[in-house]
């Protein structure tokens, strides 16, 4: 019995650098390379089980762990915040299995794993953003079967998406949705980032990688790749309107905000969502933000 | 500032871990040992090992103990551990026909060559709570039974261990059961490559073998009730031990151990392949094989293997079944709903509010009295995003 328990212990310290074995990392990297070569195309990959649950960022972890080197500085956020419990858990896991430095500072990080947000601060070309994706298939809404959706992507048959977009416009008066066309070819979902973040993907300086662990797909938007939100000639895509909303903590405007109700107050207050961006503003600096053609063109 | 918020979050995490540990250990009884779980929770571990696709009873017992009996969590623990193991060899094809039989029955035939061997099963016992088992907390009780058992076996002449040919062979020889030919016969390893559709037979059977037992039960049952496949018959159900043999680098066969497995050979109708010619009616096998003694799973596998054949509808049904019975994926994603979604719901909230605002504006223009806001809520289903 005692001998057996020691073997269990042995298993615990025998994990490879960055947890995943090297052969699998190679396979993930090859899939990433393919994804970079075909922007917006969903590359199937092995997606081995991780010690966290499916749907909680395994795809992001696969990408992060297969790319991370000893010199990398990691930042992991969830919903814009470094303090989210799941982000803490993932950060601790990556730090434990790699010994890499971690940071909250967006500018310091070389590798940023995120769920549902792109950091507010402008990214540089030496940074990689890894987004966790719950549902990579943009066509799933209009087509239940994978075999069909793969065919539709292959034939660039996106008519049904445009119909849905039009129907949404008829019903709600807005072209809602987050689908984007990448490099004028594949339509993809940029994971559920708010529309505030979507224009950040267009001709971005940095590489964006998308990992969908449960669905076993990786896709990418390489640097300097055109990414266009779906819109009609006369009805344009618009971001969420935070251009005049004032952050209650920092008095800053022009950042994605959280709506916060404190002490059952009737009145909501607004606070900047990106925790590191907010901290920097509170410290008196003004991190650069990337402006684009949709900036200020709110709903 | 963020430093302090992060450390607060981490403190909360630690406290949560500690509290769970407290719940695991707060009882006043002696903690159950991994050994005891291996000895006494055989069928539970068989189910876990099958879903984890890792045949390791002691590790399965540890996982089961570690998460207080939550089978889904135990499966995740084992899957994560399994994913780190290096694949040095592929075993040779396992010879199930020469299985060391513990149980072997057929419902298609009254008598089968070699006879019906009931083996260990509770199929035929009355489902009555047995109060004696609640009292059975001493080693003496256990010994009393075992002594009696061994005494009875002493001197009894046991039949020698023998192998049995498959019941399906009878039907194959007769030409009634047709081999499954319409399939891609290449071998896919679904733990190294994602499941792609159309899925070949090896990927299908592997997915079914590691699928969640309850999920397969649901789809198998639905198939019998008119949703999907047909009502199959158990041609043969076997539980027994099979040898695992690998071929080493020098080409030598090496015995590396044995597994307990359940095999079900179901017979079902052969799907029409189209075409106008009337073909002779025939049957086709539905095959199930899984770790341990898990007859629910093996039988449902067999039914679904048969029910998911055929060109269009079969493949469609396959996507429904294989994707959604994937235990780790399904449970993980359901539980992810507990994670915060406030950034995305903020975005959605704005869309709804804007839509409501526009609707009010439209009503005003048309001279319609504004209704109370709660009646004006735009249905969430009007919002195209699913995420």
């Amino acid at each position: 019995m005692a001998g057996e328990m020691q073997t269990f212990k042995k298993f615990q310290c025998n994990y490879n650098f960055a947890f995943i074995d090297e052969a699998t990392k190679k396979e993930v990297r090859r899939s990433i390379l393919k994804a970079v070569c075909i922007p917006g195309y969903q590359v199937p990959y092995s997606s081995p089980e991780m010690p966290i649950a499916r749907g909680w960022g395994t795809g992001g972890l696969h990408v992060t762990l297969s790319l991370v080197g000893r010199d990398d500085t990691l930042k992991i956020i969830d919903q814009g915040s470094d303090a989210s419990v799941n982000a803490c858990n993932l950060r601790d896991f990556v730090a434990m299995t790699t010994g890499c430095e971690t940071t909250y500072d967006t500018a310091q990080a070389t590798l940023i794993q995120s769920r549902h947000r792109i950091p507010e601060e402008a990214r540089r070309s030496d940074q990689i953003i890894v987004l966790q994706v719950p549902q990579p298939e943009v066509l799933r809404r209009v087509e239940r079967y994978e075999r069909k959706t793969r065919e539709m992507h292959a034939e660039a048959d996106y008519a049904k998406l445009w119909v849905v977009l039009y129907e949404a416009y008829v019903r709600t008066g807005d072209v809602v949705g987050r689908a984007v066309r990448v490099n004028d070819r594949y339509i993809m979902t940029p994971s559920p980032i708010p529309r505030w973040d979507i224009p950040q993907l267009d001709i971005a300086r940095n590489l964006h990688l998308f990992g969908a662990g449960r669905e076993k797909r990786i896709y990418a938007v390489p640097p300097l790749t055109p990414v266009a939100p779906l819109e009609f000639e006369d009805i344009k895509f618009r971001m969420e309107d935070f251009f005049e909303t004032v952050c209650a903590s920092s008095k800053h405007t022009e950042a994605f905000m959280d709506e916060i109700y404190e002490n059952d107050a009737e009145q909501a207050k607004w606070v900047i969502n990106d925790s590191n961006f907010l901290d920097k503003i509170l410290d008196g600096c003004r991190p650069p933000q990337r402006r684009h053609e949709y900036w200020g063109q709110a709903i | 500032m963020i430093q302090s918020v992060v450390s607060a979050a981490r403190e909360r995490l630690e406290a949560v871990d500690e509290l769970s540990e407290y719940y695991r250990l707060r009882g006043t009884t002696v903690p159950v040992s991994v050994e005891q779980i291996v000895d006494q929770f055989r069928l539970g571990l068989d189910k876990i090992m099958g879903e984890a696709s890792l045949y390791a009873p002691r590790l399965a017992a540890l996982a089961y103990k570690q998460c207080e009996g939550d089978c889904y969590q135990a499966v995740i623990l084992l899957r994560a551990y399994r994913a780190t193991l290096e694949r040095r060899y592929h075993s040779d094809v396992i010879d199930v026909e020469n299985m060391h039989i513990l149980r072997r029955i057929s419902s298609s035939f009254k008598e089968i060559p070699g006879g019906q061997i009931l083996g260990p099963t509770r199929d035929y016992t009355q489902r009555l709570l047995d109060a004696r088992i609640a009292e059975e907390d001493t080693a003496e009780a256990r010994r009393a039974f075992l002594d009696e058992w061994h005494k009875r076996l002493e001197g009894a002449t046991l039949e020698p261990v023998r192998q049995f040919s498959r019941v399906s062979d009878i039907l194959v020889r007769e030409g009634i059961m047709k081999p499954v030919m319409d399939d891609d016969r290449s071998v896919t390893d679904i733990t190294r490559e994602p499941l792609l559709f159309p899925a070949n037979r090896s990927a299908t059977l592997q997915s079914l073998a590691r699928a969640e037992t309850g999920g397969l039960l649901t789809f198998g049952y639905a198939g019998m009730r008119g949703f999907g496949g047909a009502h199959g018959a158990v041609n043969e159900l076997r539980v027994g031990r099979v040898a695992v043999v690998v071929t080493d680098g020098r080409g030598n066969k090496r015995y590396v151990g044995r597994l307990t497995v359940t095999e079900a050979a179901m017979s079902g109708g052969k799907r029409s392949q189209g075409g106008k010619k009337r073909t002779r009616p025939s049957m086709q096998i539905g095959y199930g094989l899984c770790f341990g003694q898990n007859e629910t799973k093996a039988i449902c596998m067999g039914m679904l293997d048969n029910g998911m054949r055929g060109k269009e509808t079969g493949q469609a049904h396959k996507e429904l079944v294989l994707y959604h019975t994937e235990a780790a994926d399904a449970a993980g994603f359901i539980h992810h709903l507990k994670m915060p979604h406030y950034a995305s719901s903020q975005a959605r909230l704005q869309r709804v509010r804007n839509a409501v605002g526009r609707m009010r504006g439209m009503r005003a223009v048309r001279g319609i009295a504004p209704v109370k806001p709660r009646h004006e809520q735009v249905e969430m289903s009007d919002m195209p995003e699913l995420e």
Side-chain angles (χ1 to χ4, degrees):
Chain A
M1 185 69 208
E4 282 292 321
M5 290 317 281
Q6 267 174 5
T7 350
F8 291 153
K9 218 176 216 173
K10 194 188 86 191
F11 292 148
Q12 279 170 3
C13 34
N14 257 3
Y15 291 127
N16 191 27
F17 173 80
F19 188 78
I20 305 174
D21 63 282
E22 292 304 315
T24 305
K25 276 189 203 166
K26 253 190 220 169
E27 188 256 347
V28 176
R29 284 186 210 122
R30 277 198 297 265
S31 305
I32 294 173
L33 283 175
K34 183 168 177 183
V36 169
C37 293
I38 319 174
Y41 169 73
Q42 300 166 46
V43 183
Y45 78 111
S46 64
S47 186
E49 282 85 358
M50 299 299 288
I52 63 161
R54 289 290 200 199
W56 294 63
T58 47
L61 270 184
H62 289 140
V63 174
T64 298
L65 292 174
S66 65
L67 294 182
V68 68
R70 292 185 198 278
D71 301 332
D72 271 310
T73 306
L74 279 161
K75 173 180 167 82
I76 301 189
I77 49 174
D78 185 341
Q79 306 278 314
S81 171
D82 297 272
S84 150
V85 172
N86 198 48
C88 288
N89 190 28
L90 296 183
R91 185 187 309 117
D92 287 351
F93 174 67
V94 180
M96 183 182 80
T97 54
T98 61
C100 280
E101 266 189 59
T102 59
T103 182
Y104 310 128
D105 185 346
T106 308
Q108 291 265 314
T110 55
L111 200 53
I112 302 173
Q113 180 171 330
S114 170
R115 175 171 168 265
H116 298 192
R117 263 323 299 274
I118 289 176
E120 212 70 57
E121 185 171 345
R123 280 79 47 211
R124 299 182 311 269
S125 59
D126 62 332
Q127 293 176 308
I128 296 178
I129 304 253
V130 179
L131 284 156
Q132 302 168 201
V133 182
Q135 178 49 269
E137 185 47 79
V138 70
L139 291 166
R140 187 64 68 233
R141 187 186 148 66
V142 295
E143 173 51 55
R144 180 187 294 162
Y145 296 114
E146 180 68 17
R147 192 159 64 125
K148 285 288 287 182
T149 53
R150 286 172 70 83
E151 245 172 54
M152 289 163 79
H153 279 297
E155 292 164 0
D157 171 12
Y158 296 123
K160 282 184 177 172
L161 279 184
W162 289 105
V163 173
V164 166
L165 202 66
Y166 174 71
E167 284 173 348
Y169 169 69
V170 170
R171 275 200 303 268
T172 70
D174 191 9
V175 285
V176 295
R178 311 185 184 87
V180 292
R181 188 188 278 273
V182 184
N183 205 25
D184 212 23
R185 172 62 178 84
Y186 285 96
I187 291 186
M188 66 159 220
T189 168
S191 84
I193 54 175
R195 294 199 289 174
W196 180 269
D197 291 342
I198 284 176
Q200 300 291 342
L201 294 167
D202 182 41
I203 316 287
R205 290 183 169 206
N206 64 292
L207 169 63
H208 289 94
L209 294 171
F210 300 81
R214 189 178 46 82
E215 297 279 344
K216 304 180 174 59
R217 299 289 185 273
I218 287 173
Y219 53 104
V221 175
L224 308 178
T225 306
V227 175
L230 297 194
E231 58 184 10
F232 297 108
E233 266 171 34
D234 48 344
I235 309 291
K236 294 294 181 191
F237 165 90
R238 282 172 300 184
M239 299 157 67
E240 290 90 5
D241 185 358
F242 289 114
F243 295 100
E244 273 149 40
T245 311
V246 180
C247 167
S249 300
S250 64
K251 308 297 168 225
H252 185 78
T253 57
E254 302 194 339
F256 194 82
M257 306 266 180
D258 292 332
E259 187 174 339
I260 290 175
Y261 293 86
E262 272 177 348
N263 311 324
D264 298 327
E266 290 277 301
Q267 197 61 42
K269 68 174 194 176
W270 297 89
V271 176
I272 290 177
N273 165 272
D274 183 327
S275 61
N276 181 245
F277 188 73
L278 174 62
D279 278 0
K280 285 185 174 174
I281 289 175
L282 292 176
D283 282 351
C285 29
R286 177 70 189 261
Q289 276 170 292
R290 186 170 166 236
R291 311 276 169 130
H292 43 75
E293 60 173 310
Y294 295 99
W295 196 267
Q297 305 284 314
I299 301 165
Chain B
M1 179 208 162
I2 191 64
Q3 180 62 57
S4 67
V5 189
V6 172
S7 20
R10 294 181 61 178
E11 271 169 35
R12 285 213 300 275
L13 269 180
E14 279 164 28
V16 163
D17 283 347
E18 224 172 45
L19 189 60
S20 310
E21 196 63 359
Y22 165 73
Y23 270 85
R24 192 174 73 78
L25 294 173
R26 66 178 171 168
T28 51
T29 53
V30 184
V32 62
S33 73
V34 168
E35 295 282 80
Q36 281 179 302
I37 297 173
V38 171
D39 283 347
Q40 298 175 40
F41 295 85
R42 178 175 60 96
L43 299 174
L45 295 190
D46 281 352
K47 184 167 167 287
I48 291 170
M49 291 192 296
E51 286 166 21
S53 49
L54 181 69
Y55 197 91
R58 296 180 57 80
L59 291 178
L62 172 63
Y64 187 69
K65 179 179 174 179
Q66 186 177 331
C67 50
E68 298 176 80
D70 181 339
C71 292
Y72 148 67
Q73 288 289 351
V75 168
I76 301 276
L77 284 171
L78 291 174
R79 287 261 192 110
Y81 172 69
R82 176 196 196 278
T84 67
L85 299 177
E86 201 184 327
R87 316 283 148 106
R88 297 204 183 136
Y89 303 99
H90 290 278
S91 78
D92 292 357
V93 175
I94 285 181
D95 181 6
V96 190
E97 194 163 334
N98 287 321
M99 151 193 288
H100 178 96
I101 301 268
L102 300 176
R103 168 166 161 79
R104 171 179 182 254
I105 55 157
S106 169
S107 65
S108 306
F109 298 96
K110 182 158 185 284
E111 287 298 336
I112 46 175
Q116 309 254 15
I117 297 167
L118 298 186
T121 176
R122 289 193 179 76
D123 278 356
Y124 320 104
T125 43
Q126 293 175 356
R127 267 59 163 195
L128 297 172
L129 282 175
D130 187 349
R132 285 172 307 169
I133 287 180
E135 304 290 311
E136 176 200 65
D137 50 2
T138 58
E140 283 84 58
R142 177 176 154 272
R143 214 172 298 131
F145 174 82
L146 288 179
D147 287 348
E148 176 68 20
W149 168 266
H150 288 302
K151 209 186 290 168
R152 255 190 302 136
L153 285 187
E154 266 171 41
T157 43
L158 295 178
E159 282 186 44
V161 174
R162 49 173 292 200
Q163 266 83 38
F164 303 97
S165 62
R166 285 214 173 82
V167 175
S168 310
D169 290 347
I170 303 172
L171 299 174
V172 172
R173 270 200 304 273
E174 215 176 304
I176 290 177
M177 186 167 270
K178 295 284 182 209
V180 181
M181 294 301 283
D182 55 344
D183 247 320
D184 174 0
R185 300 188 81 81
S186 58
V187 176
T188 311
D189 179 351
I190 58 152
T191 67
R192 311 300 290 172
E193 306 164 41
L195 185 61
L196 295 179
F197 289 94
N200 63 17
R201 187 119 182 271
S202 79
T204 305
L205 289 175
Q206 281 173 60
S207 302
L208 290 172
R210 66 178 349 212
E212 212 265 324
T213 308
L216 291 188
L217 178 69
T218 302
F219 282 116
Y221 175 54
M224 287 168 72
R225 297 191 63 259
F227 291 83
H231 188 313
V234 179
N235 243 346
E236 185 173 2
L237 179 75
R238 296 178 162 207
V239 181
R241 301 207 181 92
V242 291
V244 181
V245 174
V246 297
T247 308
D248 69 14
R250 292 183 179 153
N252 296 325
K253 303 265 182 211
R254 298 202 181 272
Y255 169 83
V256 293
R258 62 182 189 186
L259 310 170
T260 299
V261 295
T262 305
E263 183 196 52
M266 309 291 292
S267 58
K270 187 178 185 301
R271 303 258 154 167
S272 152
Q273 298 300 311
K276 284 178 191 150
K277 246 205 304 198
R278 264 182 67 181
T279 47
R280 203 152 58 105
S282 63
M283 290 198 284
Q284 235 178 8
I285 195 169
Y287 188 75
L289 180 75
C290 61
F291 281 161
Q293 182 171 5
N294 190 347
E295 297 170 17
T296 307
K297 179 180 246 180
I299 290 173
C300 291
M301 268 183 85
M303 290 176 55
L304 290 165
D305 173 42
N306 192 285
M308 299 190 304
R309 223 166 271 148
K311 287 278 177 289
E312 279 301 317
T313 52
Q315 283 295 339
H317 195 47
K318 231 179 226 186
E319 283 201 24
L320 176 69
V321 172
L322 299 190
Y323 269 142
H324 303 105
T325 55
E326 209 322 300
D329 291 357
F333 203 49
I334 288 296
H335 285 274
H336 117 285
L337 297 174
K338 295 179 285 189
M339 289 173 86
H341 280 80
Y342 53 84
S344 21
S345 46
Q346 182 58 58
R348 168 183 281 214
L349 210 54
Q350 271 224 6
R351 288 205 298 273
V352 178
R353 282 184 183 142
N354 287 322
V356 169
R358 272 189 298 273
M359 221 181 252
R360 279 210 192 107
M362 270 150 58
R363 281 177 192 281
V365 170
R366 288 197 223 130
I368 305 169
V371 276
K372 280 183 181 139
R374 67 191 158 91
H375 295 299
E376 266 184 357
Q377 282 169 6
V378 173
E379 287 297 321
M380 276 313 214
S381 58
D382 283 348
M383 298 290 134
E385 286 300 314
L386 290 172
E387 294 143 342

